[in-house]
Amino acid sequence: MPDIHAPDGSVVQMAESPCALLKAAADLSGDHPALVMGNITLSYGRFDQAVDALAQQFYDAGANGRTIAMLLPNSIELCIALFAAQRCGAMSCTLNPDYSARELKPILEDADPVLILVTQASAAAVSHHAKQSIMGGDTNAWLSALQGQSAYAGPLPNPGAIASLQYTGGTTGRAKGVMLTHASIAANIAQREAFLPTAPEGEVIVCIMPLFHVFAVAMCLHLAVRARSTLVLLPRYRPDWLLETIAMHKVTLFPAGPTVFQSLLQYDGLDQKKLKTVTAAFSGSAPLSAATLRAWEAATGVPIYEGYGQTEAGPVLTYHSPHFPTKQGSVGPSLPLTEVEIVDLETGDTALGSGKVGEIRARGPQIMQGYRNLREETDSTLRHGWLYTGDIGRLDDAGYLFIEDRKKDLVISGGYNIYPREIDEALLSHPGVIEAAAIGVPDSYRGEVIEAFVVLKNGIGIDDIDAHSAETLVKYKRPARFFIVTELPKTTVGKIDKKSLKAARLEEMNHVA
């Protein structure tokens, strides 16, 4: 595998697979703490042994070349199971353990897993599927049972084989199974390391994001293994738990979604002293507003490095880095060995110059092989060697990427193109706005208009926000209507769920009509 040259001139070696990285961590740092959850700590030596033991069980169950689905919450078990599936030549498929049976049925039919790992709480949702394995909540008992098992002694997985089958939502409503190889995942780990370097055995990473999502796997689990450092797992986000954990374990790296930073800024217990060991925070999975970035760094002194990517991109394409100046509103330059271009929205064939807005396309060693059982969608997304992201953005003269919006979210009002994210940013620049979500809805005169849903601080009203929008937005971009709400709907990874917000609003409009 080729080496990657970091911006500071250092060389980052690229492994053949995440499993190879874990083996190296066990060999070089076998006694170093790898996984911590509650009062349980697992060293890299024991982590690797548990992976090999579970991999043998998977192999004996006929998992080689097949899919293993996992409906597990953040846990030491999930970390082991994810590596064990890939170790024995199976495809790991992590799914939200809170999915209903209706949501899981089409995914499991498409993935066709030979095994499904569930907890007692999620077992009922897969009861229609014949093959399942229930993993209880007693981690110590589970680890003890694995310790007595024979270890898988097969070769490390073929770098070109599919390692991960990750389901992601689509515009058609059907979840699409993204296929990533061992080599593409390992390449992305090395690319990230070049931009966000870690100290071997010197980091403590906190994981509050759900590990069924690619952001947490890439920026928490894989980051920790590459650094041969400690990953501290929390079952979910709670501000008091998080801050206590950071202080207790002397956390150095803090990956999270933007809503976590926004939530902490509103939390009365936010204490800069509890964050004194944190050297950097990493933002991803959703756009980070410039207002949140400024407020966070002013309140905590901890820099946030924001990046951009998607499941289909392995998942990371760009990132800010301590090697470069940070540009507010940007998601940074391209990772090494990655090309990002802006192309015209109509055909996607014409590359546009700096400052021009268009669809983002990318290519590099981290890009997916395609969507499982979806040839037409694969051919539409992977064209001429490029991944067409469906996102709209622009590049500046220095190669920094700025995200404007999702292509499908583009609103055309009276002939003008409006990107709802720009409206979100403008509203969030008002100090009285906690959260904001702009959507496009049908309008008989303009075709579409913008409506905005806002969560406000006490004492702030619609008149204040309307006046602010008049000062910060040209007339055609100003929301036609504002709705004050106590909270905005969120996805399982903390993104504002504009899809459900818009669906509910359209249903309400249709009912009134």
Side-chain angles (χ1 to χ4, degrees), residues 54-383:
L54 188 57
Q56 184 62 50
Q57 291 185 22
F58 288 164
Y59 185 83
D60 291 342
N64 181 269
R66 299 285 302 279
T67 303
I68 297 176
M70 305 168 196
L71 280 80
L72 302 176
N74 279 9
S75 58
I76 288 175
E77 291 97 322
L78 179 53
C79 296
I80 292 170
L82 197 155
F83 272 94
Q86 296 179 8
R87 177 75 178 92
C88 76
M91 293 175 283
S92 63
C93 177
T94 53
L95 299 169
N96 185 345
D98 293 329
Y99 274 165
S100 67
R102 182 185 63 81
E103 292 167 313
L104 285 169
K105 188 174 186 295
I107 294 175
L108 294 177
E109 286 175 351
D110 187 67
D112 188 27
V114 65
L115 289 171
I116 306 175
L117 308 183
V118 296
T119 62
Q120 293 287 352
S122 56
V126 295
S127 59
H128 65 280
H129 201 285
K131 294 182 178 179
Q132 58 182 283
S133 174
I134 296 176
M135 305 179 71
D138 190 338
T139 304
N140 276 323
W142 189 75
L143 289 170
S144 297
L146 283 179
Q147 205 164 9
Q149 301 294 318
S150 58
Y152 181 75
L156 288 171
N158 181 342
I162 304 299
S164 171
L165 182 61
Q166 187 76 40
Y167 281 84
T168 183
T171 55
T172 61
R174 176 186 170 180
K176 297 177 289 188
V178 173
M179 299 183 293
L180 295 169
T181 66
H182 296 272
S184 64
I185 296 171
N188 206 220
I189 294 171
Q191 291 169 309
R192 188 271 315 147
E193 180 68 23
F195 265 32
L196 299 169
T198 56
E201 297 189 7
E203 309 292 355
V204 180
I205 303 103
V206 64
C207 180
I208 53 169
M209 302 295 283
L211 280 166
F212 59 76
H213 190 267
V214 290
F215 177 76
V217 174
M219 299 304 295
C220 296
L221 181 58
H222 286 162
L223 184 149
V225 172
R226 173 63 178 76
R228 310 198 309 272
S229 292
T230 304
L231 181 67
V232 182
L233 297 156
L234 286 174
R236 62 185 181 279
Y237 168 66
R238 238 180 66 173
D240 52 345
W241 290 356
L242 173 60
L243 293 173
E244 289 168 9
T245 298
I246 289 174
M248 179 187 304
H249 293 279
K250 296 181 172 58
V251 166
T252 62
L253 300 177
F254 173 23
T259 53
V260 171
F261 299 116
Q262 293 165 358
S263 169
L264 286 171
L265 286 169
Q266 301 301 317
Y267 179 58
D268 290 339
L270 180 63
D271 183 353
Q272 189 174 9
K273 293 178 182 177
K274 291 185 176 180
L275 298 169
K276 65 181 181 181
T277 60
V278 179
T279 58
F282 303 144
S283 182
S285 82
L288 176 72
S289 75
T292 299
L293 175 63
R294 289 192 297 268
W296 171 265
E297 294 189 349
T300 68
V302 175
I304 298 179
Y305 298 105
E306 185 182 12
Y308 163 72
Q310 54 185 214
T311 306
E312 292 88 339
V316 186
L317 290 171
T318 72
Y319 236 102
H320 275 109
S321 165
H323 294 305
F324 308 120
T326 296
K327 295 188 179 182
Q328 289 188 5
S330 169
V331 289
S334 309
L335 296 181
L337 307 183
T338 302
E339 295 178 73
V340 171
E341 282 189 350
I342 305 299
V343 294
D344 69 288
L345 293 172
E346 289 73 26
T347 68
D349 294 330
T350 303
L352 305 178
S354 63
K356 301 293 186 181
V357 174
E359 183 172 0
I360 302 164
R361 70 178 185 181
R363 61 185 176 189
Q366 71 269 48
I367 302 300
M368 71 169 180
Q369 297 299 293
Y371 298 117
R372 180 181 173 93
N373 297 328
L374 292 172
R375 173 48 53 191
E376 186 176 334
E377 286 84 350
T378 296
D379 291 344
S380 174
T381 304
L382 297 177
R383 308 198 308 268

Side-chain angles (χ1 to χ4, degrees), residues 437 439 488-492 494-503:
I439 61 171
L488 291 170
K490 305 290 197 308
T491 68
T492 53
K495 295 183 185 180
I496 293 175
D497 190 351
K498 287 193 176 185
K499 184 177 179 180
S500 69
L501 191 67
K502 184 170 183 175

Side-chain angles (χ1 to χ4, degrees), residues 292-484:
T292 299
L293 175 63
R294 289 192 297 268
W296 171 265
E297 294 189 349
T300 68
V302 175
I304 298 179
Y305 298 105
E306 185 182 12
Y308 163 72
Q310 54 185 214
T311 306
E312 292 88 339
V316 186
L317 290 171
T318 72
Y319 236 102
H320 275 109
S321 165
H323 294 305
F324 308 120
T326 296
K327 295 188 179 182
Q328 289 188 5
S330 169
V331 289
S334 309
L335 296 181
L337 307 183
T338 302
E339 295 178 73
V340 171
E341 282 189 350
I342 305 299
V343 294
D344 69 288
L345 293 172
E346 289 73 26
T347 68
D349 294 330
T350 303
L352 305 178
S354 63
K356 301 293 186 181
V357 174
E359 183 172 0
I360 302 164
R361 70 178 185 181
R363 61 185 176 189
Q366 71 269 48
I367 302 300
M368 71 169 180
Q369 297 299 293
Y371 298 117
R372 180 181 173 93
N373 297 328
L374 292 172
R375 173 48 53 191
E376 186 176 334
E377 286 84 350
T378 296
D379 291 344
S380 174
T381 304
L382 297 177
R383 308 198 308 268
H384 319 302
W386 292 89
L387 169 71
Y388 283 74
T389 66
D391 289 327
I392 294 172
R394 59 184 170 85
L395 291 166
D396 70 7
D397 291 337
Y400 281 67
L401 180 64
F402 293 77
I403 307 297
E404 299 293 338
D405 226 314
R406 286 289 296 170
K407 186 176 180 180
K408 65 181 180 180
D409 290 336
L410 174 67
V411 174
I412 302 176
S413 181
Y416 291 101
N417 289 355
I418 304 174
Y419 303 110
R421 187 190 173 191
E422 181 185 0
I423 315 306
D424 297 344
E425 290 276 354
L427 296 175
L428 286 166
S429 67
H430 189 290
V433 176
I434 297 172
E435 290 184 319
I439 61 171
V441 297
D443 180 77
S444 59
Y445 180 67
R446 295 183 180 88
E448 290 181 289
V449 293
I450 291 288
E451 293 187 345
F453 294 78
V454 290
V455 180
L456 303 177
K457 293 180 180 177
N458 291 336
I460 306 297
I462 285 181
D463 290 345
D464 301 299
I465 305 308
D466 189 40
H468 178 72
S469 71
E471 294 174 0
T472 55
L473 294 167
V474 67
K475 188 174 181 180
Y476 73 85
K477 294 181 182 178
R478 289 175 58 187
R481 282 172 290 276
F482 289 95
F483 298 92
I484 297 177

